[in-house]
């Protein structure tokens, strides 16, 4: 079929209804302009508006070109025609002005006014700032301008995108504002080496009596004024193996570390861990060898053990101060405080009391009567009532501050440890606390951090979804391969009988599980328990699931969760009301209280063991060595018989046997016959030869093979979970 001409193409395809080109008679203005665009591709595209057609030179040029090219075919012009038919999108909105419409269409205001004149004859009512209230009129004008309307929200009503920003630490302070501050000293060492007793003696209190089991289970922060008049902030970290995270934080927020080592025990596991943390934090160490009053105390041995682990004390020619003390009897405590003061003087510790507050969360708890309570150590600035502070996604307007004795204070300066109330949510222990200037800045910081967290969660969820999708795709491809192999119409495929239990979704999960809910007195204790659970690895035997954890007493919500998930509630150092305790019994919820972490661990371990099934354990009875294999004929079958000698224990006919060759197990099975000479017997003693015939008559034997005789007995499984207590 011949290609259509330009004239026939225009006549059949470009049916425009307004005729304003009088030069061409009945031909449409679009006809004229499309022809001009085809023949003059270097010019701009002219639209069918009165303004375009007022240019007489264009009309005359169209008339001249019409006679030359109007009968040409469209083979060479189709791309140009296609391009000219694409109408640009023009953004419009309600109640826009004539000027806004012209700017959106990228046209002169005169073009818009003339298009309005063509649509509406009342031209005198339109100006550049005239608001077009008729939305249909706006759409019509856009079409007359050769475009397509695209409705959008008015720019005046659009929400301006706010770029939130995070808060960061202030720049280093000027030397002129720095003042001398007292040191922050962390007491570290192995469990039961006397750390809390030492601190008790330094501040003349009795903290150790209040610690359950005589061990510290959370960080204690105390501002102490020594007899010499020097002020020191002491941090007492737990020495128990389960509280490694607390010791790590204590080492990284301190100025000086006092390493307590018992003279009778010497360097122990947590002592080494404390040394490594101190070196990692680059903090100076003062060694306090405690319990020198004990009869089996050996100070020299302890100093040599420290030297072997990189701590060379002054008595051995090193530069580490070492004080021999007895915290229980108060021996040499004055010397220890002088050593701390000397070390602080050498370090020339200074702080900025005028800048914005910078602190760190040491401990977090829910206090009955005071609400959410955070123990913080001030690093910079002066914290006062009414200050706005933020830590992670938690924030507070300080309603009050208390010292270690619970007495209210008005302000807290650098190196002071205080308790803060007014938190909307509890921060994470170890998180940085920063002061913000006003509510607006606080809002921006929280929004930024929330967006950051949402992006992180979205990324994690996407990775999990992609992983799940890959697993699903893998199963689908496997199923598709089976479909292609067996065919779609085979009933065996439809019932999926050929699929193994691993691919059948209806297969029940038989792995036992223990669900727990953890409630603790402070965030550090909850963290230590969760770290303890992280060491559990026997999930194939029994899964340990943490349904919920939080700081504070047991609530009714905890009971509902425990009932729903069949979970055990462990509350650590917190109480439960008698009403909730009675409700828990009615609902059948197990609520267990513990004050010492290793006793809680023992209970959970016993609970897991009680959920494990019994397994078969082999009890070895005897052992035999194969001398030779004999073949006998029974009917038409040839039967292999092992000629053996019992080398240990007793061989029993009713027992089970392992056939071992070169250390590898070849066969396991039972006997059908045991003969000594020609007599059938039930047992063979050591040193006696015999013939053994197995249920599987095809088993072959070789000289020097070993037969192990044993019986099974049932035994309950026990998990191998040792966190290092």
């Amino acid at each position: 079929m011949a290609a259509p001409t330009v004239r026939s193409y225009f006549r059949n395809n470009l049916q425009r209804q307004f005729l304003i080109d009088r030069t061409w008679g009945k031909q449409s203005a679009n006809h004229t302009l499309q022809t001009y665009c085809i023949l003059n591709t270097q010019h701009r595209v002219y639209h069918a508006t009165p303004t375009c057609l007022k240019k007489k030179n264009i009309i005359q040029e169209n008339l001249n070109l019409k006679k030359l090219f109007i009968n040409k075919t469209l083979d060479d012009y189709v791309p140009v025609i296609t391009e000219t038919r694409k109408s640009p999108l023009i953004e419009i909105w309600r109640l826009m002005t004539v000027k806004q419409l012209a700017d959106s269409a990228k046209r002169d205001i005169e073009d818009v006014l003339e298009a309005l004149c063509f649509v509406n004859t009342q031209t005198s009512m339109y100006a550049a700032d005239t608001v077009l209230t008729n939305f249909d009129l706006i759409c019509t004008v856009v079409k007359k301008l050769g475009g397509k309307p695209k409705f959008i929200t008015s720019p005046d009503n659009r929400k301006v995108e706010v770029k939130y920003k995070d808060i960061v630490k202030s720049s280093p302070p000027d030397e002129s504002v720095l003042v001398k501050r007292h040191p922050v000293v962390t007491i570290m060492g192995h469990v039961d080496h006397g750390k809390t007793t030492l601190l008790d003696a330094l501040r003349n209190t009795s903290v150790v009596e209040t610690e359950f089991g005589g061990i510290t289970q959370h960080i204690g922060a105390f501002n102490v004024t020594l007899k010499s008049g020097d002020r020191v902030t002491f941090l007492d970290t737990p020495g128990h193996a389960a509280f490694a995270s607390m010791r790590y934080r204590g080492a990284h927020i301190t100025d000086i570390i006092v390493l307590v080592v018992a003279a009778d025990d010497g360097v122990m596991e947590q002592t080494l861990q404390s040394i490594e943390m101190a070196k990692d934090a680059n903090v100076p160490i003062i060694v306090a060898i405690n319990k020198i009053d004990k009869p089996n105390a050996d100070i020299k041995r302890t100093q040599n053990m420290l030297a072997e682990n990189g701590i060379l004390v002054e008595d051995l020619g090193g530069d580490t101060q070492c004080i021999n003390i007895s915290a229980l009897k108060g021996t040499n405590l004055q010397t220890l405080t002088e050593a701390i003061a000397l070390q602080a003087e050498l370090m020339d510790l200074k702080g900025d009391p005028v800048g914005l507050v910078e602190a760190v969360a040491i401990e977090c708890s829910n206090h009955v009567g005071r609400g959410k309570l955070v123990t913080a150590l001030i690093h910079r600035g002066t914290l006062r009532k009414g200050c706005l502070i933020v830590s992670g996604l938690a924030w507070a307007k300080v309603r009050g501050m208390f010292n270690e004795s619970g007495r209210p204070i008005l302000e807290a300066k650098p190196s002071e440890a205080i308790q803060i109330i007014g938190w909307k949510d509890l921060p994470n222990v170890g998180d940085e606390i920063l002061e913000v200037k006003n509510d607006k800045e606080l809002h921006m910081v929280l929004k930024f951090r929330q967006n950051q967290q949402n992006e992180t969660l979205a990324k994690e969820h996407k990775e999990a979804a992609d992983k799940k999708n890959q697993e699903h795709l893998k199963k689908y491809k496997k199923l598709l391969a089976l479909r292609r192999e067996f065919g779609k119409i085979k009933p065996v495929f439809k019932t999926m009988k050929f699929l193994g239990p691993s691919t059948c979704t209806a297969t029940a999960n038989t792995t036992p599980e223990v669900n727990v809910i953890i409630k603790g007195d402070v965030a550090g204790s909850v963290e230590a328990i969760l770290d303890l659970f992280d060491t559990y690895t026997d999930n194939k035997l029994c899964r340990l699931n943490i349904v919920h954890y939080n700081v504070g007493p047991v609530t009714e919500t905890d009971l509902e969760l425990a009932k729903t998930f069949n979970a055990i509630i462990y509350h650590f150092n917190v109480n439960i009301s008698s009403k909730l305790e009675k409700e828990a019994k009615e609902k059948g919820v197990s609520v267990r209280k513990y004050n010492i972490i290793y006793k809680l661990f023992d209970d959970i371990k016993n609970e897991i063991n009680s959920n494990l099934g019994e397994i078969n354990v082999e009890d070895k009875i005897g052992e035999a060595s194969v001398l030779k294999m004999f073949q006998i004929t029974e009917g038409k079958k040839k039967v292999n018989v092992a000629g053996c000698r019992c080398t240990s224990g007793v061989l029993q006919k009713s027992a089970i046997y392992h056939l071992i060759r070169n250390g590898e197990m070849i066969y396991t099975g039972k006997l059908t016959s045991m003969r000594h000479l020609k007599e059938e017997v039930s047992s063979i003693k050591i040193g006696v030869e015999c013939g053994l015939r197995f249920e599987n008559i095809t088993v072959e034997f070789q000289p020097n093979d070993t037969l192990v005789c044993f019986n099974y007995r049932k035994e309950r499984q026990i998990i191998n979970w040792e966190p290092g207590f």
Side-chain angles (χ1 to χ4, degrees), residues 32 46 78 102 125 233 239-240 317 347 349 376 534 583 624 648 706 708:
T32 304
Y46 290 91
V78 169
M125 61 183 294
T233 296
H240 202 278
M347 297 175 70
L349 301 171
D534 286 341
E583 186 178 343
S648 65
T706 302
V708 178

Side-chain angles (χ1 to χ4, degrees), residues 188-191 193 239 247 259-262 265-278 285 287 302 305-306 309 311:
M188 301 183 72
H190 193 73
V191 63
H193 275 201
R247 289 195 299 277
L259 182 65
V260 179
V261 187
D265 282 345
V267 175
M268 304 294 285
E269 182 180 353
Q270 271 69 58
T271 311
L272 296 175
Q273 191 181 75
S274 299
I275 293 172
E276 290 300 320
M277 290 179 180
I285 296 176
V287 176
T302 304
M305 292 177 70
L306 287 168
N309 291 280
I311 304 297

Side-chain angles (χ1 to χ4, degrees), residues 536 538 541-542 604-605 608-609 612 717-721:
Y536 179 73
D538 289 335
L541 296 176
C542 180
I604 292 180
K605 186 175 180 180
I608 294 174
N609 289 333
L612 299 178
Q717 288 178 285
I718 298 176
I719 57 171
N720 184 23
W721 185 16

Side-chain angles (χ1 to χ4, degrees), residues 33 167 226 462 478 536 556 561 658:
L33 295 174
I167 188 174
L226 303 175
K462 184 179 182 302
K478 183 177 180 181
Y536 179 73
E556 192 169 349
L561 281 173
H658 286 316

Side-chain angles (χ1 to χ4, degrees), residues 609-721:
N609 289 333
S610 66
N611 282 270
L612 299 178
E614 294 181 338
I615 58 173
N616 290 324
V617 180
E618 295 180 4
D619 279 340
K620 184 177 176 182
I621 303 173
E623 192 173 300
S625 177
V626 177
L627 303 176
K628 188 177 181 182
M629 185 184 78
F630 301 94
Q631 273 193 345
I632 61 174
T633 303
E634 193 175 77
K636 295 183 178 180
K637 295 181 180 179
K638 290 185 178 181
V639 179
N640 295 333
V641 177
C644 309
R645 177 185 291 114
C646 182
T647 56
S648 65
V650 179
L651 304 181
Q652 294 182 354
K653 182 180 179 180
S654 59
I656 307 171
Y657 288 80
H658 286 316
L659 174 60
I660 299 174
R661 180 177 302 153
N662 298 326
E664 183 181 355
M665 188 182 299
I666 304 298
Y667 172 75
T668 299
K670 290 187 175 183
L671 301 177
T672 58
S673 176
M674 174 184 284
R675 293 194 176 189
H676 174 60
L677 299 177
K678 294 184 178 181
E679 294 182 3
E680 190 73 21
V681 294
S682 58
S683 63
I684 297 292
K685 296 180 179 180
I686 186 171
V688 180
E689 295 183 356
C690 63
L692 303 179
R693 175 181 168 184
F694 286 82
E695 290 178 344
N696 188 347
I697 60 177
T698 62
V699 178
E700 295 185 353
F701 307 94
Q702 294 181 6
N704 299 322
D705 284 352
T706 302
L707 290 171
V708 178
C709 176
F710 67 94
N711 276 323
Y712 286 121
R713 63 177 173 85
K714 294 290 184 179
E715 186 177 276
R716 183 169 292 278
Q717 288 178 285
I718 298 176
I719 57 171
N720 184 23
W721 185 16

Side-chain angles (χ1 to χ4, degrees), residues 165-286:
K165 60 180 181 179
D166 198 6
I167 188 174
V168 294
K169 287 184 176 181
S170 303
S171 56
D174 189 81
E175 293 288 336
S176 60
V177 301
L178 297 178
V179 297
K180 185 177 181 180
R181 64 175 179 86
H182 60 268
V184 179
V185 179
T186 300
I187 309 294
M188 301 183 72
H190 193 73
V191 63
D192 199 31
H193 275 201
K195 300 183 300 299
T196 308
T197 306
L198 170 60
L199 189 59
D200 173 33
L202 289 172
R203 64 176 185 150
N204 297 321
T205 59
S206 184
V207 178
V208 70
E209 294 178 1
T210 65
E211 298 288 354
F212 297 100
I215 62 172
T216 301
Q217 301 184 109
H218 54 80
I219 287 183
F222 309 97
N223 299 312
V224 178
T225 301
L226 303 175
K227 292 181 180 180
S228 60
D230 297 321
R231 293 191 67 205
V232 179
T233 296
F234 283 103
L235 301 180
D236 180 21
T237 60
H240 202 278
F243 299 92
S245 298
M246 290 189 188
R247 289 195 299 277
Y248 181 84
R249 284 194 298 274
H252 282 73
I253 61 176
T254 191
D255 299 315
I256 302 170
I257 289 178
V258 174
L259 182 65
V260 179
V261 187
D264 54 342
D265 282 345
V267 175
M268 304 294 285
E269 182 180 353
Q270 271 69 58
T271 311
L272 296 175
Q273 191 181 75
S274 299
I275 293 172
E276 290 300 320
M277 290 179 180
K279 290 181 178 179
D280 183 57
N282 195 24
V283 176
I285 296 176
I286 298 176

